[in-house]
Amino acid sequence: MESSNKIPSGKVSDYDRKTELKFFDDSKLGVKGLLDAGLTKIPRMFINDQHKTHTNPVSPSSPEGVPIIDFKGIDEDEVLRSQIIKKVVEACEKWGFFQVVNHGIPESVLNAMIDGVRGFHEQDDETKKVWYSRDSQTKVRFSSNFDLYKARMANWRDSLSCLMAPDPPLPEQLPAVCRDIVMEYSEQVVKLGLTLFQLLSEALGLHPNHLKDMGCAESILILGHYYRPCPEPQLTLGTSSHTDPDFFTILLQDQIGGLQVLHEDHWVDVPPIPGALVINMGDLLQLVSNNKFKSIFHRVLAKHVGPRISVACFFRGQKNGTRLYCPIKELLPEGNPPIYRETTINEYLTYYYSKGLDGNSSLPHFKL
């Protein structure tokens, strides 16, 4: 892998990006493999011009931060539930993000999931290589940058992908090092996801089962991200600015930090809170809510410290289903026409993945 560090330093025309990408991909070792080989300068394929357009981040101590919502007692007190729903409405309309505490998943399970993802990525190379694939139909796979050959720049992260619904992998199809905790965490996060679908339905003024009955919870994808320390974090990003192609995402992050949300043209830190989970609205929820709830741009900074571990759980409808999604008719009173056309999950995902994380939302493509 030493040759990965020998990048042409001449004219731009001398730079063979395609060869660099293929060499990186063929190694099947991801970003971690570069650093294990002794890399001290990041390859040009990772240099991200988004770092040149930073707006001033809001301090984590600012009162204007991502909302924190306490779910304690949500199923025991109707008055408390209505207060929580009101907070959810405010967060989804203004931020598109919130952190949730007392969500029902034990902190021991959260910590074990972080450890499981770390354990997978820190296996010996030959064991981990077996899982490397760019086939999106593979239920369980290891890769680095799903859009490696499409995006203008690569991100400084590696990922373990597990499609846990509608047709979950058999236990033996999961890596042994994290098999048990992936199955346990998946079961627990699905329960929380169903609670969130009820709350979001009620927050939209709908029956609690409305979004679930639309098939919004039928597909669940878990991504375990591994962000190694970066020798030149000012030149790249852990994850480029993007929105999520789902109804919502439940994110577990460790205590290192780096996640930022774009709020009123400023990047705002989402500080890690022990035991908390980050919830963000996805493009599909913005579409079916006719822009009432917002899918907001977010990114992850590269850092000198690490590794940073995060686990993102994406809730979306079945990719191969024929169900059409469009703005919910109950949310379209007279004088409030639909903003988006009908689309299937497959059509939306196909478009999203075709362009990669290019810093632009996919939603405009589906506007009427």
Side-chain angles (χ1 to χ4, degrees):
M1 291 295 293
E2 287 81 357
S3 59
S4 297
N5 207 9
K6 299 177 180 178
I7 302 169
S9 58
K11 299 177 182 178
V12 173
S13 59
D14 295 332
Y15 172 54
D16 188 348
R17 178 178 175 81
K18 185 176 180 180
T19 297
E20 187 176 45
L21 291 173
K22 189 174 188 307
F23 188 86
F24 173 77
D25 196 19
D26 288 348
S27 77
K28 300 183 179 181
L29 295 175
V31 172
K32 183 177 183 295
L34 296 176
L35 290 169
D36 289 347
L39 177 141
T40 58
K41 297 284 186 181
I42 68 171
R44 191 181 301 188
M45 59 183 271
F46 289 99
I47 295 178
N48 192 319
D49 59 12
Q50 284 187 17
H51 78 277
K52 300 176 183 177
T53 58
H54 283 186
T55 48
N56 294 327
V58 175
S59 167
S61 61
S62 168
E64 186 70 350
V66 173
I68 302 169
I69 303 178
D70 191 341
F71 275 15
K72 186 176 182 180
I74 195 168
D75 293 321
E76 301 167 4
D77 186 327
E78 285 301 318
V79 174
L80 180 60
R81 185 181 182 88
S82 65
Q83 293 173 347
I84 291 172
I85 290 172
K86 182 179 179 181
K87 292 178 181 179
V88 168
V89 171
E90 293 173 352
C92 293
E93 290 182 348
K94 185 176 181 180
W95 284 88
F97 267 77
F98 60 89
Q99 297 208 62
V100 59
V101 296
N102 292 315
H103 42 67
I105 303 180
E107 192 166 350
S108 60
V109 173
L110 304 182
N111 292 338
M113 186 63 184
I114 292 290
D115 290 343
V117 170
R118 179 185 293 106
F120 172 83
H121 287 285
E122 294 181 355
Q123 294 179 103
D124 68 85
D125 291 347
E126 295 308 312
T127 301
K128 193 168 60 175
K129 274 184 177 182
V130 172
W131 299 96
Y132 193 89
S133 174
R134 292 209 168 273
D135 181 359
S136 62
Q137 302 303 310
T138 302
K139 290 181 183 178
V140 181
R141 61 192 176 103
F142 161 58
S143 66
S144 184
N145 290 264
F146 74 89
D147 55 353
L148 185 67
Y149 294 101
K150 297 185 176 97
R152 289 186 298 118
M153 65 288 292
N155 288 164
W156 195 256
R157 74 171 189 282
D158 299 327
S159 305
L160 169 65
S161 172
C162 303
L163 183 63
M164 302 305 292
D167 184 18
L170 298 172
E172 57 268 27
Q173 293 177 305
L174 290 164
V177 69
C178 58
R179 177 180 300 151
D180 292 343
I181 188 57
V182 167
M183 293 173 65
E184 181 178 2
Y185 183 74
S186 176
E187 181 179 338
Q188 299 245 15
V189 83
V190 165
K191 293 177 183 177
L192 175 59
L194 294 176
T195 296
L196 285 165
F197 273 117
Q198 288 187 334
L199 290 175
L200 291 168
S201 294
E202 293 179 64
L204 289 168
L206 304 168
H207 185 278
N209 290 332
H210 194 107
L211 291 173
K212 180 185 175 185
D213 291 344
M214 287 172 56
C216 301
E218 291 179 357
S219 178
I220 298 164
L221 173 69
I222 293 179
L223 294 181
H225 294 309
Y226 185 84
Y227 300 87
R228 277 294 298 268
C230 182
E232 298 178 292
Q234 75 280 6
L235 297 181
T236 190
L237 286 168
T239 302
S240 303
S241 175
H242 68 287
T243 60
D244 289 350
D246 61 358
F247 292 98
F248 62 78
T249 305
I250 298 177
L251 178 76
L252 166 63
Q253 59 174 340
D254 67 11
Q255 298 305 302
I256 288 180
L259 175 64
Q260 294 186 326
V261 177
L262 189 62
H263 179 69
E264 296 179 352
D265 295 324
H266 286 73
W267 287 108
V268 181
D269 292 320
V270 184
I273 300 173
L277 291 166
V278 180
I279 315 298
N280 67 276
M281 306 304 104
D283 294 350
L284 295 171
L285 189 60
Q286 179 167 334
L287 186 150
V288 300
S289 71
N290 210 40
N291 278 1
K292 181 174 176 61
F293 289 170
K294 302 298 191 295
S295 178
I296 300 298
F297 284 100
H298 50 288
R299 69 182 185 183
V300 178
L301 301 180
K303 290 194 167 194
H304 279 299
V305 297
R308 176 184 184 267
I309 311 293
S310 71
V311 184
C313 184
F314 300 86
F315 286 79
R316 62 195 192 194
Q318 287 197 44
K319 181 177 181 181
N320 297 323
T322 58
R323 186 191 296 267
L324 292 170
Y325 290 90
C326 62
I328 298 168
K329 65 178 186 305
E330 289 86 347
L331 304 180
L332 301 174
E334 188 174 349
N336 184 30
I339 296 170
Y340 303 100
R341 63 174 175 84
E342 291 182 329
T343 184
T344 62
I345 300 296
N346 183 59
E347 183 189 16
Y348 198 91
L349 292 178
T350 298
Y351 178 74
Y352 182 95
Y353 289 124
S354 72
K355 68 185 190 63
L357 303 186
D358 63 355
N360 298 305
S361 171
S362 295
L363 282 168
H365 181 75
F366 296 87
K367 282 189 173 182
L368 289 169

